[in-house]
RNA sequence: CGGGGUGUAGCUCAGCCUGGUAGAGCGCUAGCUUUGGGAGCUAGAAGCCGGAGGUUCGAAUCCUCUCGCCCCGACCA
């Protein structure tokens, strides 16, 4: 049996004190909980605990993308400047783009986004309307040379992002694709334990109403947001037929007022009418969906043959989720003074097993038995088998925020009970070993 | 990119003003005692004081330049 889920083996460098470099709570907790270490400004190493969370977020995002009919691909991190010259963005993008020259003096860049590359893939391989619609996505690292990276992984220069690109024959199709992603986002964020609110966003020169930012409310949010309080009560349907008409569902979620401060107009009738129901808060943008029509397909000649044999420039949209940012965002939304409180869906382990008296034959035997039983049942468990004081183990376990703590102490074992603590509620109860195991799904 | 701050042990920081060759707490190692919410005692290991120049008999300390990091603002998943 693999043993690395023993605390004595697992690489988990927790910190008792707050590193000076970290200002906001998620950044502090990620450093203290041994999830990440900074490599350079806005660039991070992910340690085992952090990587486990990142992978879980990624998996949920992937499952929901697949469910919505998108297909996963993987594009390069380093791109040729050629395509960007074609779209006109090589000059426009500015210093945020990390530009590289290879040994042959060719202009390359580390991709800040992938519209050009995906459009190139599309135009080379899809020639007929019969192959539409298509949604292609990837989960990959991007780099934007932000002037001022901050807030840990919430605003890094290198970040993991899910980016999806839709291709449709006409606007009606593009709207269907947009709606699919809209709903997929609602479901994704709900599964991550987040209350995400779609807010109308600036559609830029394209105009129209097909641009939404998905925002979670948090005191440390970067932007001010305003929304009807009814949005906070809305629930996400558990079953969605992506082949059906999603417009009603999208309408339901967009009928109530919600806007970031750049789009918010306090004097508008729309706002004054609902003054009593208006919530003003801070928010973190965790996703953005965007219809941009033929901006790239036109510039790059992404054309298919239509039903009547005519050439049709395809309609596109792009849909991003900040996967690494979400890890920080989830912590911002779910923590207390003692540390992180993971939603079970993304927790690095489900259970933290604490042996309160290492070296005591009975607690050792009981703890080992619980560890093995849980492992065999497929329950993710981190077993604190270190010879540390009880207080240190409790504090550490609270810090890393596993949903359940299973506490094995000599007094309890003598009476045939163990203690089960819920990290979120703080509630703890003494129950029999069998009851504890069944509660934990073993 | 403008403004501000800060780099001294793994972490948090003192020392700098008033130059004399490096300290504390936590962490780490060993031993003893402890053992249900980050223990106590003893003994240790650990720092080219961010880097480069300069002033000086002598620089962590003064001067110049440089690099990193953090914060506020303008920009963004």
């Amino acid at each position: 049996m693999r043993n690395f889920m023993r605390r004595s083996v697992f690489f988990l460098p927790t910190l008792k004190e707050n590193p000076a470099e970290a200002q906001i709570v998620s950044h502090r907790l990620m450093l203290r909980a041994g999830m990440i270490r900074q490599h350079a400004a806005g660039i991070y190493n992910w340690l085992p605990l952090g990587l486990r969370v990142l992978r879980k977020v990624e998996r949920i995002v992937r499952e929901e993308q697949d469910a919505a009919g998108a297909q996963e691909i993987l594009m390069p991190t380093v791109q040729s400047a050629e395509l960007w010259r074609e779209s006109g963005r090589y000059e426009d993008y500015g210093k945020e783009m990390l530009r590289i020259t290879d040994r042959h003096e060719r202009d390359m860049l580390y991709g800040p986004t992938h519209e050009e590359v995906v459009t190139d893939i599309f135009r080379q391989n899809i020639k007929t309307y019969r192959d539409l619609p298509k949604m292609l996505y990837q989960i990959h690292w991007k780099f934007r040379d932000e002037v001022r990276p901050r807030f840990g992984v919430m605003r890094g220069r290198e970040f993991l992002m899910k980016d999806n690109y839709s291709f449709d024959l006409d606007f009606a199709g593009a709207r269907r694709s947009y709606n699919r992603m809209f709903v997929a986002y609602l479901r994704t964020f709900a599964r991550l334990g987040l209350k995400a609110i779609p807010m109308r966003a600036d559609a830029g020169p394209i105009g129209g109403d097909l641009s939404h930012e998905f925002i979670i409310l948090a005191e440390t949010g970067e932007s001010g947001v305003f929304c009807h309080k009814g949005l906070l009560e809305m629930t996400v349907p558990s079953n969605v037929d992506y082949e059906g008409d999603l417009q009603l569902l999208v309408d339901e979620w967009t009928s109530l007022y919600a806007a970031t401060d750049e789009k918010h107009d306090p004097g508008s009738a729309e706002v004054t009418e609902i003054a009593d129901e208006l919530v003003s808060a801070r928010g973190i943008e965790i996703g953005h969906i965007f219809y941009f029509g033929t901006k790239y397909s036109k510039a790059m000649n992404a054309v298919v043959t239509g039903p009547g044999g005519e050439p049709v420039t395809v309609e596109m949209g792009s849909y991003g989720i900040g996967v690494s940012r979400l890890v920080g965002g989830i912590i911002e939304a779910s923590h207390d003074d003692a540390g992180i409180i993971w939603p079970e869906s993304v927790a690095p382990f489900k259970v933290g097993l604490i042996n309160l008296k290492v070296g005591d034959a009975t607690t050792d035997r009981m703890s080992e038995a619980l560890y093995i039983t849980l492992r065999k049942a497929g329950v993710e468990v981190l077993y604190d088998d270190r010879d540390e004081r009880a207080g240190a183990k409790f504090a550490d376990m609270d810090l890393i925020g596993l949903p359940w703590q299973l506490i094995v102490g000599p007094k309890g074992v003598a009476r045939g009970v163990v203690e089960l603590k819920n990290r979120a509620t703080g509630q703890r109860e003494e129950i029999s070993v069998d009851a504890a195991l069944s509660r934990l799904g073993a």
Side-chain angles (χ1 to χ4, degrees):
Chain A
M1 177 159 295
R2 292 174 304 163
N3 262 339
F4 63 83
M5 287 164 185
R6 290 173 188 270
R7 189 70 168 78
S8 58
V9 176
F10 193 74
F11 178 37
L12 183 55
T14 55
L15 302 172
K16 200 153 125 184
E17 291 177 271
N18 278 321
E21 74 209 49
Q23 299 302 314
I24 66 162
V25 64
S26 62
H27 191 195
R28 284 201 300 262
L29 289 173
M30 287 181 80
L31 289 165
R32 286 191 52 208
M35 295 176 65
I36 55 166
R37 287 293 182 264
Q38 179 162 316
H39 170 83
I43 303 176
Y44 293 86
N45 295 302
W46 289 77
L47 307 187
L49 194 80
L51 184 60
R52 290 177 72 90
V53 177
L54 191 66
R55 291 284 184 250
K56 292 204 168 182
V57 173
E58 196 181 327
R59 196 182 74 205
I60 289 173
V61 169
R62 176 176 290 116
E63 284 172 1
E64 293 300 329
Q65 289 294 298
D66 291 346
Q71 301 178 54
E72 187 168 10
I73 60 174
L74 193 56
M75 293 182 269
T77 50
V78 175
Q79 306 177 16
S80 160
E82 269 182 59
L83 292 175
W84 289 72
R85 291 209 170 91
E86 209 179 325
S87 71
R89 283 211 290 182
Y90 192 66
E91 285 71 32
D92 294 350
Y93 214 92
K95 298 185 84 170
E96 238 187 33
M97 179 190 281
L98 179 64
R99 293 154 204 265
I100 308 167
T101 308
D102 73 7
R103 68 197 299 165
H104 301 293
E105 300 292 312
R106 285 183 291 237
D107 292 328
M108 310 294 284
L109 57 100
Y110 197 107
T113 179
H114 284 73
E115 278 84 5
E116 280 80 359
V117 178
V118 79
T119 303
D120 186 51
I121 292 172
F122 180 91
R123 70 178 174 183
Q124 286 190 44
N125 298 286
I126 295 187
K127 304 292 185 190
T128 163
Y129 78 98
R130 292 171 180 274
D131 287 334
L132 296 182
K134 278 278 174 293
M135 288 198 289
L136 303 175
Y137 78 99
Q138 66 172 351
I139 299 176
H140 210 200
W141 293 94
K142 293 190 173 4
F143 192 92
R144 292 183 193 168
D145 199 358
E146 299 274 346
V147 204
R148 192 185 156 211
R150 59 187 129 165
F151 304 148
V153 298
M154 300 248 292
R155 185 67 182 281
R157 290 194 292 172
E158 187 181 57
F159 55 96
L160 188 63
M161 182 175 171
K162 185 284 297 178
D163 47 322
N164 185 352
Y165 306 87
S166 66
F167 301 86
D168 284 278
L169 191 64
D170 51 26
F171 178 73
R175 180 182 279 278
R176 281 194 296 275
S177 294
Y178 186 91
N179 287 349
R180 284 189 181 205
M181 279 300 116
F182 189 104
V183 173
Y185 277 34
L186 290 177
R187 290 176 47 84
T188 301
F189 298 132
R191 282 184 66 188
L192 293 171
L194 296 169
K195 188 153 284 286
I197 301 168
M199 301 200 176
R200 65 187 74 169
D202 194 359
I206 313 281
D209 60 346
L210 293 186
S211 178
H212 284 90
E213 291 177 359
F214 287 73
I215 304 269
I216 55 173
L217 303 185
E219 283 170 26
T220 44
E222 287 191 83
S223 41
V225 297
F226 304 85
C227 72
H228 192 289
K229 69 181 180 190
L231 278 164
L232 301 172
E233 312 301 327
M234 290 180 68
T235 54
V236 178
S238 52
N239 276 308
V240 172
D241 173 16
Y242 281 105
E243 300 303 322
D245 187 4
L246 300 171
Q247 193 63 51
L248 280 175
L249 185 53
V250 172
D251 289 346
E252 185 190 338
W253 276 86
T254 51
S255 59
L256 292 175
Y257 185 81
T260 59
D261 52 7
E262 33 190 41
K263 294 281 284 183
H264 180 62
D265 178 5
S268 69
E270 194 181 13
V271 171
T272 51
E273 270 172 26
I274 59 158
D276 292 344
E277 282 98 13
L278 190 71
V279 176
S280 165
R282 308 288 305 169
I284 300 167
E285 183 186 349
I286 51 175
H288 193 168
I289 60 177
F290 194 82
Y291 161 77
F292 49 67
T294 57
K295 179 174 178 183
Y296 300 97
S297 49
K298 201 168 176 182
M300 296 181 63
N301 201 34
V303 174
V304 295
T305 304
E310 76 287 8
V312 179
T313 304
V314 295
E315 297 273 335
M316 295 175 59
S318 76
Y319 316 88
I321 290 179
V323 175
S324 48
R325 168 181 284 188
L326 268 169
V327 176
I330 291 167
I331 296 172
E332 290 293 329
S334 183
H335 66 272
D336 62 17
D337 288 344
I340 302 167
I341 302 171
W342 289 116
E344 203 158 313
S345 59
V346 296
F349 296 92
K350 180 175 181 179
V351 187
L353 173 62
I354 300 179
N355 181 347
L356 275 186
K357 193 165 186 178
V358 170
D360 176 280
T362 55
T363 56
D364 281 357
R365 207 179 311 123
M366 179 61 76
S367 302
E368 292 288 330
L370 284 166
Y371 175 61
I372 288 166
T373 306
L374 287 166
R375 299 265 340 230
K376 278 186 176 155
V379 178
E380 291 180 305
V381 54
L382 180 65
Y383 172 26
D384 194 343
D385 60 338
R386 296 171 306 163
D387 187 12
E388 289 285 340
R389 300 177 65 80
K393 293 189 175 192
F394 287 137
D396 236 31
M397 207 55 94
D398 285 348
L399 174 64
I400 66 174
L402 308 185
W404 297 99
Q405 293 173 18
L406 186 55
I407 301 158
V408 180
K411 294 169 197 164
V413 170
R415 288 184 288 126
V417 296
V418 290
E419 199 169 313
L420 190 61
K421 174 180 164 182
N422 182 296
R423 175 64 181 90
T425 64
Q427 200 170 61
R428 45 207 310 173
E429 52 185 316
E430 289 197 322
I431 54 179
S432 73
V433 172
D434 287 345
L437 285 171
S438 78
R439 285 274 292 278
L440 295 171

